[in-house]
Amino acid sequence: MKAIIAILILATGLGFGGAARADLQDGSDAYNRGDYATAVQEWRPLAERGNPGAQVSLGYMYEAGEGVLQDYKEAVKWYRKAAEQGFAQAQFNLANVYADGRGVQQDYKEAVKWYRKAAEQDHAAAQFELALLYSVGNEIEENVPIAIAWARRAYQNGNEDAKALYLQLQWKDFIFASDVRALTALVEAVESTCGDDITCSFEYLWNYIDVTEDRHISLAEIARFQRNIIKYGAAAQETEKLTTEDL
């Protein structure tokens, strides 16, 4: 966190006067040498005057209990002040406390809201966390394509953890979601076109199973159809992840 603090202080001091930049740097220097009380003393007046870098840094001090008594609610207060000014790191930190329920009631939808705001500013860690949330659907609707998109952006922005997640989600979409979508399309086509016509329904089903289009159904094609039925049923009933044996 020390490197992050230093970067925040330097970056957010650019739009302020020389005295403010000096105080930000003094706080950063104090933090980096382990003098947390002095860091807090330098940052607090700046935070109270609206400097978002000082606000997010002060929020972190309260969250970590460095230089002050640990106080998650106070951390949230300062994160929110900086986040509402559009400061990406503060938006990310605020999302984290909502995701974990520290200083606020746990709220994944609120976490997604703030992760997204930071992610839209190319905050790679926020992009990764957003991908994770959409990949598992933790109190939000699971959406693998959106998860893939954010994982890809996070990886492109240098988040190494996102690479493995991106590849995992691509594979999951390939072996699971694409099959479910294809079977869903079959069901919709049969319902809209065939009605009670058994011959029509059988023809649609045959064409779906006959992947090789040779008008012969192989054991492999039957096995594929059976696996896809399992996937379709799991997706429709929102069951837990299928096991390797199921697939």
Side-chain angles (χ1 to χ4, degrees):
M1 187 67 186
K2 289 185 177 182
I4 294 176
I5 290 282
I7 292 170
L8 291 177
I9 295 308
L10 291 173
T12 56
L14 296 178
F16 292 81
R21 287 197 298 273
D23 290 341
L24 286 167
Q25 184 60 61
D26 288 344
S28 180
D29 292 341
Y31 183 90
N32 286 330
R33 64 175 180 265
D35 187 355
Y36 302 139
T38 298
V40 169
Q41 184 180 342
E42 294 288 347
W43 290 336
R44 188 181 299 279
L46 297 174
E48 291 172 346
R49 294 200 296 270
N51 183 289
Q55 290 171 338
V56 72
S57 299
L58 190 58
Y60 172 76
M61 303 301 270
Y62 276 107
E63 183 179 2
E66 294 180 344
V68 291
L69 291 176
Q70 190 174 56
D71 187 333
Y72 291 132
K73 290 185 178 180
E74 192 71 7
V76 170
K77 181 187 83 172
W78 289 109
Y79 287 156
R80 191 180 304 280
K81 286 178 180 293
E84 289 174 349
Q85 294 189 64
F87 196 59
Q89 184 64 38
Q91 292 168 342
F92 174 72
N93 289 8
L94 186 58
N96 282 340
V97 296
Y98 271 111
D100 296 337
R102 298 194 306 273
V104 291
Q105 183 174 349
Q106 190 175 50
D107 187 334
Y108 286 105
K109 290 183 179 179
E110 195 70 9
V112 167
K113 167 188 166 182
W114 289 107
Y115 279 137
R116 183 180 295 278
K117 287 180 181 292
E120 288 172 349
Q121 298 188 62
D122 276 341
H123 191 291
Q127 292 168 340
F128 175 69
E129 293 296 335
L130 202 53
L132 277 176
L133 286 173
Y134 275 113
S135 71
V136 299
N138 197 354
E139 294 193 21
I140 62 170
E141 184 177 355
E142 180 181 357
N143 192 316
V144 173
I146 289 179
I148 289 173
W150 282 117
R152 181 174 60 249
R153 286 183 62 177
Y155 175 54
Q156 290 171 342
N157 284 322
N159 188 299
E160 289 298 322
D161 291 333
K163 181 180 181 180
L165 178 62
Y166 175 66
L167 294 175
Q168 175 189 342
L169 290 171
Q170 285 279 48
W171 179 243
K172 177 180 179 180
D173 190 55
F174 176 73
I175 67 170
F176 187 89
S178 58
D179 289 332
V180 170
R181 287 194 291 268
L183 200 50
T184 300
L186 171 67
V187 171
E188 292 174 350
V190 169
E191 289 179 345
S192 62
T193 305
C194 299
D196 296 328
D197 188 338
I198 300 299
T199 301
C200 173
S201 300
F202 180 80
E203 185 67 20
Y204 268 99
L205 181 59
W206 182 283
N207 290 336
Y208 174 83
I209 298 174
D210 184 18
V211 177
T212 59
E213 300 181 354
D214 60 0
R215 302 303 295 173
H216 295 283
I217 301 298
S218 68
L219 290 176
E221 287 171 329
I222 292 173
R224 170 184 173 273
F225 176 62
Q226 290 173 330
R227 289 195 301 271
N228 290 350
I229 286 292
I230 292 172
K231 297 174 189 178
Y232 179 83
Q237 298 179 33
E238 299 180 349
T239 58
E240 295 180 354
K241 291 182 181 179
L242 300 179
T243 64
T244 303
E245 290 73 18
D246 290 328
L247 295 174

